[in-house]
Amino acid sequence: MTEKPTFYITTPIYYPSDKLHIGHAYTTVAADAMTRYKRQRGFDAYFLTGTDEHGLKIQQRAAEAGQEPLAFVDGIVDGIQKLWQLLDIDYSDFIRTTEKRHEQVVQRLFKQIYDQGDIYKSEYSGWYCTPCETFFTEHQLAEGHVCPDCGRPVQMAQEESYFFKMSKYADRWLEFIEANPDFIQPESRRNEMINFVKQGLEDLCVSRTTFDWGIKVPFDEKHVVYVWFDALVNYISALGVGSEDESKYQKYWPADVHLMAKDIIRFHAIIWPIILMAAGLPLPKKVVAHGWLLMQDGKMSKSKGNVVDPVVLAEKYGVDAIRFFLLREMAYGMDANYSEEALVNCINIDLANDYGNLLSRTTAMIEKFLGGVVAPGSEGTDFDAELLELAAQTPEAMAKYMDKVDVANAIGEVWKLVAKANKYIDDTAPWTLNKNGEVEKLKTVMYNLAEVLRQVTILISPVMPNVAAKVWQQLGLSAEAAGQDWTALGWGGFPAGTKICRGEALFPRIDWEAAQAAAAAENETTEPEAETAEALVEPVKPEISIEDFERIDLRVCQVIACEKVKKADKLLQLTVKVGAEERTVVSGIAKFYQPDELVGKQLVLVANLKPAKLRGIESRGMILAAGDGENLRVLQVPAEIGPGNVVR
Ligand code: MSP
């Protein structure tokens, strides 16, 4: 027997410092759908996910919770695994960076690179952004010493550290990218990465001594390995590289796809390949970055009551509908907006109206006109050829997109066939054929519809694995008769003479207005839940005098225009009015607000802050906001206190 071709896909490993939300779920659902699709196509597909459990952020959270870091993360990791189970994520392995099998590989690799002279000891003196867990050298910082990614203040870090000679590999990396133009996807991200490297790669600080929650540097135990160096290695440690049993590594490495959101592409497209180059290991084949799932009213927050918990959503709307919505909505490489209303619309339109209705109309007519039996007739209609042609083309059209990990467009191709089949019903008007006694034509039409439904269901089952079983049942097919993989797609696979078994609507329509009214009525009668006090995330800074405070000039300002800063995912450019004056302010809040949301709002501005240049734009002042990297809101001032007023 010939060996199956392999396909290895990974998601990022998640920080177990927070509960995962629906945005986190996107990558994992997409990787799961890709894996199922590849298996349908005859691949031996391997899918890895896991958790990234070391680092300062987690050590701090554990301390706040009064727990040892490992005990602290254990509970959260358990919750993450349960979430994946609920969402039908069929991963092949789940790696935790606190596992021995991982730690050993990190230590071995670190030592190997050190022994060959590509890691050296020095003094780190530079900047660190804790929410991003990222080092910045002086020249990478935006003016005003703020994080160039999120615009927030960075901390000075000065400690003995080991450095990785990234700079030595810059040219080799550029040559590799030139020779492998598809390595970074989408293309816009590729260009961004090339520009980044061309600006000059600095050596990377790869160990810390000021905290100890991490993997120890094997030859110098007061150092722990930098969390990103540690985390990236999971992609090979999980396969047992260098262990007694290297068979998985031999079989699946190099990975076919590392999938992630755009904010962490730099680590995957630059740092990880250079670590592998230094270690003399093969590089992955593709790094694919998707966009973010954004909330219409900014980032989710407990206090705003808009936290989108995938568990709650799955219970309310069903797992398959959630999976479908996530994958359908996130256009390739772009951000997508989440709202419950958009989810309900997707269920009502794409699932209930299009797919669900196709099944329900088809089975109803087969039952009513043909006694429930599916078999082609001896005569066809003028509309058959077009339907059959599209059915024949759809798998290839879908594959073209799936092979790029563009799942949204792949679903779009299948939905063209669903739409065509619904139109075919209108065109052929089976009720008229029935009335006119054109039984042979009628049989053919109903057979064609049942066959399209069989094909669509095979194609969409990686996205909605549970729906397929329900459709087979209604079509009267056993899973075997339906065919589960692409070899079953040939036209005419629907066994003639099958008796269907019409059932309930696949996706009952949701009355959004009524659901909203019911929820509002319920809220009126229940006391709002008291917000539990958040633990202090950052320690309070040393005392200052009232005179010190009075040096800061805080003013009410009104946002009159706002736009995203080009090529900076986290920055917004605001034009604000302060009294009669207009100013430009750049703020690192793009993750939490859409530009339109801010226009008209009255905010608090640090008006006498020394101007700073961020991405070439001079920012005059700083907008005050509360929260952290996950959750942040601007401070607002009521309308009766006009712009220019002093905040004391
Ligand atoms: N631990 C690192 C990854 C290390 S991989 C070697 C990490 N973890 S994370 O938990 O913060 O994020 C995991 C992934 O979820 C990232 O790709 C991140 O961008 C993604 N998302 C977090 N919020 C998201 C949205 N709102 N939308 C889409 N993806 C989102 O980063």
Side-chain angles (χ1 to χ4, degrees), residues 196-343:
F196 185 87
V197 172
K198 281 191 173 161
Q199 277 167 23
L201 264 191
E202 304 276 347
D203 289 350
L204 179 71
C205 178
V206 284
S207 79
R208 308 284 318 258
T209 47
T210 45
F211 64 92
D212 61 3
W213 180 234
I215 299 177
K216 295 214 176 321
V217 169
F219 45 86
D220 193 347
E221 295 219 332
K222 74 173 197 281
H223 288 254
V224 291
V225 175
Y226 170 45
V227 66
W228 270 101
F229 188 106
D230 163 354
L232 289 160
V233 171
N234 90 87
Y235 300 130
I236 53 174
S237 65
L239 299 179
V241 63
S243 71
E244 267 175 27
D245 178 7
E246 262 203 328
S247 55
K248 281 199 189 118
Y249 174 75
Q250 295 299 346
K251 188 166 187 187
Y252 297 111
W253 191 256
D256 292 84
V257 177
H258 286 319
L259 183 64
M260 79 225 54
K262 61 187 182 179
D263 52 337
I264 56 173
I265 179 114
R266 186 153 49 90
F267 297 93
H268 286 82
I270 302 174
I271 298 180
W272 177 227
I274 293 184
I275 293 175
L276 290 165
M277 277 177 189
L281 297 171
L283 270 50
K285 292 181 201 155
K286 236 177 224 170
V287 173
V288 180
H290 59 74
W292 282 330
L293 195 67
L294 299 171
M295 303 304 122
Q296 264 168 0
D297 54 351
K299 191 85 180 171
M300 283 178 272
S301 96
K302 213 163 122 192
S303 51
K304 281 173 70 192
N306 70 348
V307 171
V308 182
D309 183 345
V311 178
V312 175
L313 278 189
E315 272 162 14
K316 201 162 162 190
Y317 298 111
V319 170
D320 279 18
I322 304 301
R323 289 173 59 109
F324 180 88
F325 168 75
L326 286 173
L327 299 181
R328 171 88 158 136
E329 214 65 9
M330 187 88 92
Y332 193 55
M334 312 284 283
D335 291 340
N337 280 319
Y338 172 84
S339 71
E340 193 163 339
E341 193 174 358
L343 166 62

Side-chain angles (χ1 to χ4, degrees), residues 547-587:
E547 289 78 23
D548 289 336
F549 175 73
E550 277 171 355
R551 292 178 57 215
I552 305 170
D553 194 337
L554 299 176
R555 296 296 172 122
V556 178
C557 68
Q558 188 177 36
V559 182
I560 51 180
C562 182
E563 59 183 297
K564 290 194 165 156
V565 175
K566 286 198 188 88
K567 296 192 182 156
D569 293 331
K570 300 192 177 162
L571 300 180
L572 288 183
Q573 177 178 346
L574 296 93
T575 308
V576 296
K577 207 168 118 195
V578 195
E581 187 197 341
E582 278 185 19
R583 294 184 178 206
T584 299
V585 181
V586 178
S587 180

Side-chain angles (χ1 to χ4, degrees), residues 581-641:
E581 187 197 341
E582 278 185 19
R583 294 184 178 206
T584 299
V585 181
V586 178
S587 180
I589 53 177
K591 238 173 117 176
F592 310 99
Y593 289 94
Q594 293 295 313
D596 288 354
E597 287 178 72
L598 289 170
V599 176
K601 284 202 165 65
Q602 295 216 124
L603 312 179
V604 180
L605 177 79
V606 184
N608 62 338
L609 192 69
K610 201 169 142 201
K613 259 206 176 140
L614 289 157
R615 300 280 154 129
I617 304 163
E618 187 178 68
S619 175
R620 295 186 52 228
M622 186 172 82
I623 300 294
L624 293 193
D628 56 24
E630 282 300 308
N631 207 349
L632 187 130
R633 308 305 294 161
V634 290
L635 302 191
Q636 287 193 54
V637 180
E640 60 265 33
I641 314 290

Side-chain angles (χ1 to χ4, degrees), residues 391 395 417 450-460 488-492:
L417 181 57
E451 178 60 345
V452 165
L453 271 163
R454 187 183 72 89
Q455 306 228 349
V456 164
T457 306
I458 294 173
L459 295 175
I460 204 66
L489 281 176
W491 186 263

